[in-house]
Amino acid sequence: MSTYVYGITAASHPALPEGLGGVGNPALPVRVLTEGDLAAIVSDAPEGLRPKRRDLLAHQNVLSEAGAGGCLLPMRFGSVAPDDGTVTGVLAEHSEHYKERLRTLDGKVEYNVKATHDEEAVLHRVMSDNPEIRAVTEANRQAGGGGYDERLRLGEMVVAAVKAREAEDAGEVQRALEPLADAISVGPESSGWLANLSFLVERDAAASFLEAVDQLRKDHPHLDLRVNGPLPPYSFVDPGPAEPAGTTVGIDHAEE
């Protein structure tokens, strides 16, 4: 049977809670595979695994329970190896890499920050900051709304100004929060966000990081900032040295 992998930790990691269940219905027993100084937290992989809410929560619960005992390199949901031997083989092959990651990430958590614009507030900001847009708006108003070409020109000017503001504000979010983090990972671009950033933060410095987010909200009321965390440091578990980026940290070659 295939092996489902939740995370990688040190072989000296404290024992997991007795009877801990993982993915599957009924929940499959979680167990530990050791190889030298490393261990993988695994269970059997259920047939036809899909990202259903029950299994996503089970995956997260195993990581939370295991992470409470010490540093853990979390795998993304759906990380499956052909068998236990493949898992221990990967641990042996990339032993130094995983041990370095465990040392680096010890005592740290991830916070993901996504930023969007409050539409009404950013339009007001763009109008107040751009004399040309204000002038064209006023000219159209005095002309009873302006003709088609004038309205089109104004719309294009506003869109361009908002786009420029998005780039400026994305940089501002990163500049404000990056000094409080040990590392930063820029998430994939999305039309839904002007910034999608993950920060690696010392657990003891989490309060200061969240205070900085609150200050950023006060200083930039046209920004909507959404924070998710503390999380296991998913974005900072680098692929193994022999694996291309985008794989599940050497366990298999499926996309994350």
Side-chain angles (χ1 to χ4, degrees), residues 35-47:
E35 174 63 37
D37 294 331
L38 296 171
I41 298 170
V42 306
S43 68
D44 290 344
E47 294 291 335

Side-chain angles (χ1 to χ4, degrees), residues 24-56:
N25 187 22
L28 291 164
V30 175
R31 49 197 173 82
V32 176
L33 301 176
T34 59
E35 174 63 37
D37 294 331
L38 296 171
I41 298 170
V42 306
S43 68
D44 290 344
E47 294 291 335
L49 180 67
R50 294 292 183 271
K52 297 178 181 177
R53 177 176 173 79
R54 178 187 62 243
D55 287 323
L56 289 168

